[in-house]
Every structure is written in C-alpha cells, then in structure tokens.
C-alpha cells in the first residue's frame, strides 16, 4: 500500500512539495478549492523528482475536454511523466451556480468527457484527424498549429472520483483508477463502491489488477490531549458537512442513518451561522468512528492499515488543519509498520 500526502494548493506548493517528497511520500495530491490545482502542481514539478503528482480532484465539469487535455498534457511533460489527472464531477449547485456550466446525467457525461480527452490525445499522438462527436461534447477541429507534439511520456493516467455506484462503474469502464471520497466507510467501500467499480472494469474487459484505487482517510490525532480534541472536533464538523449533501446520502443509508442525513441536510439550509456547530452535534461518536480513524499517531496509523488493507492500493491522510508534519510522519510510520 502506497502512502501519499495532501499538498496544500497555493504559492507555497513548491516548498511544501519538496519537503513532503523528502519525507518519503509516494505521491502528492492537490485539491481544487481556493486555488487552481494545476498552477500548484506546476510549481511542484521542478521542486520534486520522484513522487507522483495528481489533482485530487479537479472539477471536470467546470472545464471542457479540450481545456483539460492541454493542461494535463503540459503537466505530464513538466513532471517527467509523474502526473495523474484526478477528476470529480462536483454537485449540481456548484457546477451550475458557481461555474455557470451545464449539468446533466453526471456519470454518462463524465464517461464521455474522459473518452473525448483520450480522442484528443490520440489525435495529437498520431496526427490523425480529430473526429469526436458525442451526446455532450463535440471536438472536430484541430489545426496543426494548435496540436502539441507527441508526448514522450504518453497520455496522462486518469482517475475518477466516485461515491455513487453509477460513477464508480464509469470509473471502471473508462479510467485508470478510482478516487474514493473521504466520506466513505470500509463497509460502504467493500459492499458498494468496489463491486460497482469492478463491474465497470469487467465491462471494459479489464480486471481489478488493471486499475488503482486511492482514498484519503480521515485521521484524528495529536501530540497532546488538546490537539487530539481539536482534531476530533474539526473532523466531526467535516463529516457533518459531507453528510448534509444529498449526493452522499447513500453512505449513511447503508448504515441505517438516513434520518441523520435528513436532519443534517435540513440544518444546512438554515440561514444561521450556528448551523455548522448544530450539525456537528448530530454526529455522535458511533457515526464518527465509522468515518474517522482516531488515536495516538502510531496507533492511528496501524488502524488505518488494518481497516483498508486489501481495499485500496494507495491512501493519503485527511487530517485536521493543525496537524503538524512530525505527527503526520508518525502516523505514516504506523501505516508502514
């Protein structure tokens, strides 16, 4: 099992990437939130030489297959073949209201999005005429002046983020790997996500050995009781936030917590800044323990390895904001035994 790290996006990405690679992490993933993930990874490329560099995730539907094909191709070149394009769909409200982009049939659209990108890369690699016409995307113009030279490192591997079964099947069918959402549990992963992913792989004539599964794991830890309490409180709020999203409801439903999903969603819609604390209070210790690994650093690391052995190929640590690098190193040591 490979152990990756979360790279904070922003101007300090290069220095942090160098530090994390020196600490021995196998890969670095940067998410799309307040900063563009591709800019952060461009900064990280010359500061590293060994670690995989990936978007975890970039929002596919905020862009087009063509715009992402260019960005991913450039980062594959800049990283010397170490780039991984991790894509997520986001939810309808963000796609339509934050990015002002169309939303419909997300699993089908994502499958076509990836297929379109591969068609673009193929045209660049071979010089063949670009002819992609699908239900959602159409790419039929590629003059030589706009076509990059053949990438010596090949096409970037594509990982898809999935919570629901339809997107997991799509990932198995068209992608090189699956990015499991942190708002998951070992039970949901083993009983729902992975079987759907394997169905998609089988439909494409592939097996589980032909693709990778990566997951960020919630870990609440600390060097003191105060740090541990603060980390637990922060991750409890994060679980409550994710639990309020209708798209992630299936995870709670599997455990018989549908009423909690309803209550969290209702509170999230209230126009009151205190709602986030009220939501966190609804996530009791039983629920929290299913999503979050808790304990002293080495102990937490050993529990992460126990829970996810045989389920994922690589994982990263989703810790509270105040968790320092020395503590993360101790958790990682526990994972690696």
């Amino acid at each position: 099992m490979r152990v990756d790290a979360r790279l904070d996006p922003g101007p300090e990405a290069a220095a942090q990437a160098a530090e994390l690679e020196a600490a021995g992490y196998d890969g670095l993933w940067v998410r799309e939130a307040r900063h563009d993930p591709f800019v952060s990874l461009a900064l990280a490329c010359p500061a590293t030489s060994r670690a995989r560099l990936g978007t975890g995730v970039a929002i596919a539907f905020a862009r087009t297959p063509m715009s992402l094909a260019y960005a991913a191709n450039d980062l594959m070149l800049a990283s010397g073949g170490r780039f991984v394009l991790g894509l997520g769909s986001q939810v309808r409200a963000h796609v339509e209201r934050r990015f002002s982009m169309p939303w419909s049939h997300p699993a089908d659209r994502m499958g076509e999005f990836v297929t379109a990108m591969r068609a673009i890369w193929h045209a660049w690699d071979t010089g063949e005429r670009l002819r992609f016409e699908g239900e959602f995307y159409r790419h039929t113009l590629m003059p030589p002046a706009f076509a990059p030279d053949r990438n010596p490192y090949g096409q970037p591997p594509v990982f898809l983020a999935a919570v629901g079964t339809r997107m997991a099947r799509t990932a198995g069918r068209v992608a090189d790997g699956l990015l499991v959402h942190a708002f998951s549990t070992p039970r949901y992963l083993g009983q729902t996500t992975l079987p759907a992913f394997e169905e998609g792989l089988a439909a494409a004539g592939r097996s589980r050995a032909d693709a990778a599964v990566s997951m960020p794991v919630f870990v609440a830890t600390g060097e003191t009781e105060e740090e541990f309490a603060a980390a637990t409180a922060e991750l409890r709020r994060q679980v409550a936030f994710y639990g309020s999203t209708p798209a992630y409801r299936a995870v709670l439903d599997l455990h018989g917590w549908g009423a909690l999903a309803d209550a969290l969603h209702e509170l999230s819609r209230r126009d009151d800044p205190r709602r986030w604390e009220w939501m966190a209070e609804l996530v009791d210790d039983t629920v929290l323990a299913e999503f979050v690994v808790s304990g002293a650093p080495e102990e937490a690391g050993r529990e992460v390895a126990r829970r996810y052995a045989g389920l994922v190929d690589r994982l990263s640590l989703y810790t509270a904001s105040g968790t320092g690098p020395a503590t993360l190193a101790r958790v990682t040591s526990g994972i690696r035994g």
Side-chain angles (χ1 to χ4, degrees), residues 239-288:
V239 169
F241 169 73
Y242 283 135
S244 70
T245 305
Y248 306 152
R249 180 195 177 97
V251 185
L252 294 174
D253 281 340
L254 180 69
H255 290 270
W257 296 328
L260 173 61
D262 291 335
L264 290 171
H265 181 61
E266 180 182 349
L267 278 175
S268 72
R269 295 168 60 87
R270 293 191 184 182
D271 187 18
D272 192 315
R274 296 170 296 175
R275 66 188 183 278
W276 307 111
E277 294 301 326
W278 295 337
M279 289 162 59
E281 291 171 3
L282 296 181
V283 178
D284 62 28
D285 289 345
T286 299
V287 174
L288 190 71

Side-chain angles (χ1 to χ4, degrees), residues 45-98:
C45 284
T48 57
S49 60
R50 174 189 54 80
R52 281 277 188 177
L53 301 173
T55 51
V57 296
I59 309 306
F61 300 158
R63 301 170 173 88
T64 69
M66 184 64 71
S67 63
L68 269 182
Y70 280 115
N73 185 70
D74 284 347
L75 280 170
M76 196 66 170
L77 284 168
S79 66
R82 294 179 289 127
F83 176 65
V84 179
L85 179 60
L87 298 177
S89 62
Q90 247 297 350
V91 296
R92 182 170 193 159
H94 283 263
V95 172
E96 290 185 338
R97 294 164 50 199
R98 184 156 69 97

Side-chain angles (χ1 to χ4, degrees), residues 1 45 61 65 86 109 118 137 143 162 168 172 197 202 235 279 300:
M1 184 185 297
C45 284
F61 300 158
R109 182 182 286 270
R118 294 198 192 281
Y137 301 102
F197 181 56
L235 293 185
M279 289 162 59

Side-chain angles (χ1 to χ4, degrees), residues 11 13 18 30 33 36 42 45 50 75 82-83 97 104 119 136 153 159 176 183 239 253 291 296-297 317 321 328 337:
V30 60
D36 185 290
C45 284
R50 174 189 54 80
L75 280 170
R82 294 179 289 127
F83 176 65
R97 294 164 50 199
S104 66
F136 308 103
Y153 302 106
F159 282 36
D176 302 293
F183 189 75
V239 169
D253 281 340
F291 290 95
L317 304 178
S321 56
L328 288 174

Side-chain angles (χ1 to χ4, degrees), residues 57-193:
V57 296
I59 309 306
F61 300 158
R63 301 170 173 88
T64 69
M66 184 64 71
S67 63
L68 269 182
Y70 280 115
N73 185 70
D74 284 347
L75 280 170
M76 196 66 170
L77 284 168
S79 66
R82 294 179 289 127
F83 176 65
V84 179
L85 179 60
L87 298 177
S89 62
Q90 247 297 350
V91 296
R92 182 170 193 159
H94 283 263
V95 172
E96 290 185 338
R97 294 164 50 199
R98 184 156 69 97
F99 293 109
S100 189
M101 293 289 279
W103 172 275
S104 66
H105 308 290
D108 293 339
R109 182 182 286 270
M110 184 67 82
E112 186 175 298
F113 193 108
V114 175
T115 304
M117 273 198 312
R118 294 198 192 281
I120 294 165
W121 289 330
H122 178 77
W124 294 347
D125 287 346
T126 64
E128 295 177 10
R129 184 174 178 179
L130 177 60
R131 288 174 176 256
F132 184 87
E133 298 189 59
E135 179 182 358
F136 308 103
Y137 301 102
R138 183 173 183 269
H139 297 281
T140 59
L141 179 65
M142 181 49 60
F146 297 96
D149 293 335
R150 186 178 184 278
N151 195 317
Y153 302 106
Q155 296 182 4
V158 179
F159 282 36
L160 292 185
V163 177
T165 54
R166 292 196 64 186
M167 191 66 80
R169 289 191 193 97
T170 297
R173 183 171 55 85
V174 305
D176 302 293
L178 172 70
L179 292 173
V180 180
H181 198 286
F183 189 75
S184 191
T185 66
R187 180 180 169 189
Y188 186 81
L189 181 59
Q191 294 184 13
T192 302
T193 307

